[in-house]
Amino acid sequence: MKATYHKHILEFKRPSGTSRGVLKTKETWFIVITSGDKKGIGECGILRTLSIDDRPDYEEKLKWTCANIDLGAEKLWEALIEFPSIQFGVEMAFKSLYSASPFVLFPSLFTESKDSIPINGLIWMGDKEFMKQQIEDKLKQGFDCIKMKIGAIDFEAELELISYIRSQFSSEIIELRVDANGAFKAEEALVKLQKLSEYDIHSIEQPIKQGQVRFMSELCRKTPLPIALDEELIGIFDMTDKEKLLQTLQPQYIILKPSLIGGYKGTKEWIDLAISLDIGWWITSALESNVGLNAIAQYTYTLQSNMPQGLGTGSLYTNNLESPLVVDNGTLIYNSYESWKVTYLN
């Protein structure tokens, strides 16, 4: 058995705005395992400035992983505890290697094109007109759940956009989620949440920056609308620490990005804890290519959640790997009649 890794720079069709800046490219890495005439591929989807494994020794750790691939998925997962994106890439690659098809990791009605996954439509930050156009496009595309990134333009202008959505569609017709990516200052967050709560919003993701435990705990207790935490989960490796965090903060939801929290195993640990504490959850991709998105989507389907998931990022790039994944009428579909085109497996 041997393994190699390959770097790939994904290029956004249009610069995409978040409260942490504008994204034009996205760096990702693929691990390919070869055993006899079989190959498996996994994606190490790192997010610079956000992933806990955004470290100078990242590529060195990829080299080490490939050199020690014979350790197997389980031992490598333990050895890579501080590199959650590589953990996930290794899990994915071994799952791919041992599957009948390198891209059907979890055979199901989803991979047979007999069922789909409801997803949210993502609205990127930008000027008011750009955001309004995105909203109108998503509604025309059949989405009944929209996730709107906020925190980069004037808050009152964002409220106007939200008010516009609600003037056209009630919460019974359109579920509206907002994602602040930690943009609110702790001392002003509750007031902003109160204003947002007037518009029947489903939830707000990460209203303040992670790591402010006292402020976040108070916010989750007093909030007039449900809070969903994602960045808050990054870098928490120990199960005892995970449980302590959720017990202390008591959020209404957690959002799970496998590339940022240790792949399938890390995701399952958070889900089990959330269920035990009566905390809701859903899964979101983290700007991976279609290889990573596919692996996340197939796993997500097996969990049979009835909530819209955050899996609609496959069409963001000009140079994504061609895949059978299709977004149609607010759902993600795996078109089994289409084929994958991945040169690393040729």
Side-chain angles (χ1 to χ4, degrees):
M1 184 183 296
K2 69 175 184 177
T4 56
Y5 69 90
H6 312 264
K7 186 176 183 178
H8 187 68
I9 303 297
L10 293 159
E11 299 175 357
F12 282 84
K13 292 177 180 176
R14 175 174 180 143
S16 299
T18 75
S19 61
R20 288 187 294 270
V22 176
L23 302 173
K24 296 181 180 179
T25 60
K26 159 69 169 64
E27 170 189 355
T28 202
W29 303 78
F30 297 109
I31 286 182
V32 178
I33 304 175
T34 304
S35 180
D37 60 354
K38 295 203 69 177
K39 288 186 178 183
I41 186 169
E43 180 172 358
C44 305
I46 189 171
L47 274 178
R48 294 297 181 186
T49 75
L50 182 60
S51 298
I52 195 68
D53 47 7
D54 178 12
R55 297 166 33 163
D57 59 343
Y58 188 85
E59 187 171 356
E60 193 61 39
K61 185 58 70 171
L62 276 172
K63 289 180 182 177
W64 179 89
T65 301
C66 290
N68 291 276
I69 202 68
D70 284 327
L71 289 174
E74 192 169 328
K75 287 184 178 179
L76 282 171
W77 195 93
E78 295 296 337
L80 294 164
I81 195 68
E82 294 183 3
F83 293 83
S85 66
I86 304 180
Q87 282 180 315
F88 188 31
V90 168
E91 278 184 326
M92 203 187 305
F94 272 104
K95 191 78 176 169
S96 170
L97 179 69
Y98 295 131
S99 296
S101 163
F103 296 106
V104 180
L105 311 185
F106 297 89
S108 67
L109 293 177
F110 175 69
T111 59
E112 293 173 10
S113 304
K114 296 177 180 177
D115 203 1
S116 59
I117 302 172
I119 61 175
N120 60 242
L122 183 58
I123 307 300
W124 291 92
M125 290 177 177
D127 60 45
K128 186 176 176 180
E129 284 306 310
F130 171 58
M131 294 182 76
K132 184 177 178 181
Q133 184 60 54
Q134 289 181 85
I135 292 166
E136 292 175 349
D137 290 344
K138 294 300 179 187
L139 297 178
K140 288 177 184 176
Q141 292 164 15
F143 285 92
D144 56 17
C145 178
I146 288 177
K147 172 180 165 180
M148 178 176 160
K149 287 188 173 288
I150 62 174
I153 64 175
D154 178 70
F155 183 63
E156 294 302 321
E158 290 171 338
L159 288 179
E160 285 182 28
L161 283 167
I162 293 169
S163 177
Y164 162 74
I165 298 173
R166 279 290 170 252
S167 71
Q168 304 295 313
F169 303 95
S170 70
S171 57
E172 285 76 32
I173 298 174
I174 294 293
E175 179 178 293
L176 182 58
R177 302 171 177 175
V178 295
D179 182 2
N181 284 127
F184 297 165
K185 294 178 181 177
E187 59 272 17
E188 66 183 18
L190 188 58
V191 172
K192 289 189 172 183
L193 295 189
Q194 288 167 343
K195 290 184 178 181
L196 287 166
S197 69
E198 297 173 11
Y199 299 100
D200 290 323
I201 289 173
H202 173 271
S203 56
I204 179 168
E205 296 183 28
Q206 202 69 43
I208 64 175
K209 287 182 180 178
Q210 70 266 40
Q212 302 178 81
V213 175
R214 181 171 64 85
F215 285 115
M216 187 65 85
S217 176
E218 182 179 0
L219 205 55
C220 289
R221 191 172 69 252
K222 294 181 177 179
T223 183
L225 76 161
I227 289 175
L229 301 181
D230 55 353
E231 284 100 329
E232 206 74 53
L233 313 184
I234 297 171
I236 312 296
F237 305 127
D238 183 77
M239 277 293 287
T240 302
D241 293 337
K242 292 177 181 181
E243 185 173 20
K244 181 181 178 182
L245 180 77
L246 294 186
Q247 287 177 335
T248 301
L249 299 183
Q250 296 184 38
Q252 286 72 40
Y253 296 101
I254 57 173
I255 301 171
L256 305 155
K257 296 183 169 96
S259 291
L260 302 183
I261 58 171
Y264 300 130
K265 186 176 180 181
T267 299
K268 182 67 164 52
E269 289 177 352
W270 281 111
I271 289 175
D272 288 345
L273 286 173
I275 291 172
S276 71
L277 296 170
D278 199 27
I279 295 170
W281 57 270
W282 68 87
I283 292 179
T284 300
S285 54
L287 301 179
E288 295 87 356
S289 78
N290 279 329
V291 172
L293 177 61
N294 175 63
I296 295 169
Q298 290 186 27
Y299 172 70
T300 300
Y301 182 81
T302 69
L303 302 176
Q304 289 294 291
S305 169
N306 59 5
M307 295 185 70
Q309 308 293 308
L311 304 173
T313 56
S315 62
L316 292 175
Y317 306 113
T318 61
N319 61 337
N320 207 340
L321 294 94
E322 292 185 44
S323 82
L325 296 170
V326 179
V327 175
D328 181 58
N329 201 34
T331 66
L332 185 67
I333 294 170
Y334 189 96
N335 184 350
S336 58
Y337 296 103
E338 294 293 330
S339 59
W340 285 83
K341 296 180 181 177
V342 181
T343 57
Y344 307 120
L345 293 186
N346 294 340

